[in-house]
Amino acid sequence: MTRSPPLRELPPSYTPPPRTAAPQILAGSLKAPLWLRAYFQGLLFSLGCGIQRHCGKVLFLGLLAFGALALGLRMAIIETNLEQLWVEVGSRVSQELHYTKEKLGEEAAYTSQMLIQTARQEGENILTPEALGLHLQAALTASKVQVSLYGKSWDLNKICYKSGVPLIENGMIERMIEKLFPCVILTPLDCFWEGAKLQGGSAYLPGRPDIQWTNLDPEQLLEELGPFASLEGFRELLDKAQVGQAYVGRPCLHPDDLHCPPSAPNHHSRQAPNVAHELSRGCHGFSHKFMHWQEELLLGGMARDPQGQLLRAEALQSTFLLMSPRQLYEHFRGDYQTHDIGWSEEQASTVLQAWQRRFVQLAQEALPENASQQIHAFTSTTLDDILHAFSEVSAARVVGGYLLMLAYACVTMLRWDCAQSQGAVGLAGVLLVALAVASGLGLCALLGITFNAATTQVLPFLALGIGVDDVFLLAHAFTEALPGTPLQVPTVSWQERMGECLQRTGTNVVLTSINNVAAFLMAALVPIPALRAFSLQAAIVVGCTFVAVMLVFPAILSLDLRRRHCQRLDVLCCFSSPCSARVIQILPQELGDGTVPVGVAHLTATVQAFTHCEASSQHVVTILPPQAHLVPPPSDPLGSELFSPGGSTRDLLGQEGETRQKAACKSLPCARWNLAHFARYQFAPLLLQSHAKAIVLVLFGALLGLSLYGATLVQDGLALTDVVPRGTKEHAFLSAQLRYFSLYEVALVTQGGFDYAHSQRALFDLHQRFSSLKAVLPPPATQAPRTWLHYYRNWLQGIQAAFDQDWASGRITRHSYRNGSEDGALAYKLLIQTGDAQEPLDFSQLTTRKLVDREGLIPPELFYMGLTVWVSSDPLGLAASQANFYPPPPEWLHDKYDTTGENLRIPPAQPLEFAQFPFLLRGLQKTADFVEAIEGARAACAEAGQAGVHAYPSGSPFLFWEQYLGLRRCFLLAVCILLVCTFLVCALLLLNPWTAGLIGFLTTQGSRNLRAARALEHTFAPVTDGAISTLLGLLMLAGSHFDFIVRYFFAALTVLTLLGLLHGLVLLPVLLSILGPPPEVIQMYKESPEVLSPPAPQGGGLRWGASPSLPQSFARVTTSMTVAIHPPPLPGAYVHPASDEPPWSPAATSSGNLSSRGPGPATG
């Protein structure tokens, strides 16, 4: 590239002013900040020069290091476990989960598979025999699912959860019960005989057809088997459970069914049942006492008449319970069916997952597409599959997003002059950012930070947009004052170009990167592991991007500078440019009167700054020695205040008729237009008018008020539907469940560390307080509370009543209980227990004590022995209570006919360390509902703690919504710390609190309007390009199938980016033009008639004025700034009087540079 000759001389009329006394410079704090700022910029200058000298080595080593870190992605682990993603390690919930798993091994005793049926026409009543018939069809199809794994066939009867299988001494009855015992299925079909069709067990007895629940009448069967076996204990068990005739005594949905049993109430009438009436009180399983399914579990969208009678409903729900993987493994461990396959817990989990996936598939396909009803199915495996899909990287979107950014960077940095084009730099910059993002993620993997959905779905695009911003900023700064370009006066040597670029813009890059890293680190204060991991990963990725942009990208710019110097084509650098603009030297020409023509000259120069403190105002003043005084034309849009450093040499030459055209080829007129041109000629003049300022202030004031009001409407919470792709069957299920069945199973866990036997009253009070919570679903008025302590006490009262009857009738005496009932014999054995190892039995207590006292409490000395008997004798009650005792009470078999002393001794259970009361929470729709329920539950546990009972609530609401209790507090703390850190970083790095946000405004001179317009002109292009690049990075998030990504990342970040753009380019310039601080840069002029009263320009000529001098004793601060030359004095400019020090002369410059190097770090 041909360089223009240096401008070495001033007009002959230049005379230095006489020497005057130098002003006093204040020492101390005002001098140190300027020196430190200069020192930091000097470091950046040295860094840039070093990178330019060794650009090839820096590029090679940088790419090698980033490539090596990117290999760490092979060790990345994607976390999909909800507990690990949502529960903070070491938190209260985490400690409670650890305690639960430590005692039980796993939290859930079973897994739920759900079917929800709704009408295709919204609001239609679903309580009809036809609708329930379709529900039966879908449920029956799902219940018949079989999968073949490990050479075995697995059906529902093998893997379902069975509640309280009793231990029977009779072997034949025990085998029959094992095959027939029903699975726990909560379904509205249990109100009808058709509910028996979902139970797949069957048994065979000689001389009878296969026994199934569809034809089993337990009462009749016991009568038939009575003469052949002693079934008294089994009969009492069925009577206590209120089994009755089981399913055959219930009405048939379709009485015309050939298999409808004669015992059905509507078998003879052949009338369809009143579905609403049958379902109005809920349904029962085979046991009326222990298996009661409340309406809220079965029906959704219910409507009632004024008397509370059920009229209609809009949804039906059936729930199939399966064993947990641990239970399934324990159930078949050592069984003949699995002895040859190396049975393990992992295999059990695989079986359950395969069955669940098949369950969902068949259930959704059970009804024809033209049916009036629709079925939604969901399992725990479905949720795991959703989380896995949500965490997968979309290669197509990643590639598409980066290709779009490559295209934008290339197009925006292309120029008509091929040798000045930077398309290859744009491509290389985007690819470098992509490599930096990959290396940052690889570093996260090496550090052991697990990935999650936000990492894979959001971070690649967010980091791309943030990183490319700095690429555009450096590229713009590098081309603004490129030596030898037709737009600028040569001021910096070719070898120092990169140092000058980093000196001018490195501070901005450092500030933005530090602030971004600090923002993400502060977000890690939020107590949600998924968000914390994402924030740490984002901070690391932004840090890697910063290193790449500050170290490796300057090497790319340096290599591209060599390409320009050799006049090579952009991208195709092996070819020379056929269209290279030649630089035309512009020298001052004297007119006849000895002056230099004054006119429009678009010139800028980077100069040496001299700084001192004015004693009167205590303000630090930076003084720039001018090289030319130019009078702008009257047509300037800002009224002779604003001038442009842009434009081209052709504009200057076009004003002289005799100027020769030296360019090899001309560019199109549209090529001269750019964002800086738009900001200078259209945007700034319009924005800085008085009425425009008023409109801007009013609009942004209204926006602020609207934003503050909107902040009061912000609600916490994350719906599960947001992380499921809209339009899928899973999304339809979750939407229906949220609308119709917002029920959650929870438990109140009591820990060890206190004496259960002596704390019964406190336990009852705790249960009462918890039951009184607004969100707790109360049991039916006719049903006792469903807790182990109530069941245990009621059972003791029942056997006490049997004993009293047997004692009164003489069937039980002091020395014999053989003639008594089974319950009477159990009470007999309990009443004689003393709890003393030396004398364990005392028969005198038979009539002097009760198993339950008048206050409804169990005697403490009998508490743990009675617990052993209850657990062994009432399996259905134990299963219904969901107590999950730990340590589990010992097994103890009761034989009424064994009167030996060994059979009379009852081993006490060990002191309990874990037990639980089950509850149902209802009406939880919004996060505020969950928070209210959690706070009430925690308060109840805190009150119980004061009474000595250690308890905590457990369940999904406490697992996933507990964090919202302190989420806003953590968020506000993070924001406050971030704001403080950002201000401190800016103030310390720039050593001036004002400069933290207004550096472009402070380093120009003139009135506030002029300086605001100049700041706009210099920042409009990089800020706009940065915003567009960020929006392009975010654009690919809009294509996500997950509402979570679109709503919480794309929409939110897009709005923030646009608001930031508007604040930076509209509101801030207006505020600066009204309330901005005084300038740091002051232009000095010699007070001479020639300069103060310049003649009006004629014919577009140029007129030169004399240059003043600068004192040598001023503090020399090496600062990098582009100073535009304009006529003195401008409105609002502070003019410092000339000093009496030795004059500044052009001889101080070297090699044509207009700046001189001081003793500090060199700048250009």
Side-chain angles (χ1 to χ4, degrees), residues 658-713:
E658 69 275 10
T659 302
R660 295 177 299 173
Q661 180 58 260
K662 299 292 183 76
C665 54
K666 298 182 64 176
S667 61
L668 296 176
C670 62
R672 303 178 185 177
W673 187 95
N674 53 34
L675 290 175
H677 183 279
F678 169 76
R680 185 253 180 277
Y681 284 105
Q682 282 85 32
F683 185 71
L686 177 62
L687 179 66
L688 298 179
Q689 295 179 10
S690 298
H691 65 274
K693 295 179 184 179
I695 293 175
V696 168
L697 293 177
V698 170
L699 291 179
F700 274 88
L703 180 61
L704 176 62
L706 184 63
S707 301
L708 293 176
Y709 173 72
T712 64
L713 303 179

Side-chain angles (χ1 to χ4, degrees), residues 179 183 221 269 323 331 363 403 491 528 564 578 706 795 833 877 967:
K179 293 181 179 180
C183 300
L221 180 63
S269 65
M323 285 187 281
H331 181 73
L403 288 178
T491 61
I528 298 178
R564 295 185 183 193
L706 184 63
W795 179 82
Q833 306 296 317
L967 185 61

Side-chain angles (χ1 to χ4, degrees), residues 451-472:
F451 289 22
N452 55 62
T455 307
T456 58
Q457 296 280 338
V458 177
L459 192 52
F461 307 103
L462 180 61
L464 174 65
I466 294 176
V468 174
D469 288 354
D470 294 333
V471 168
F472 279 117

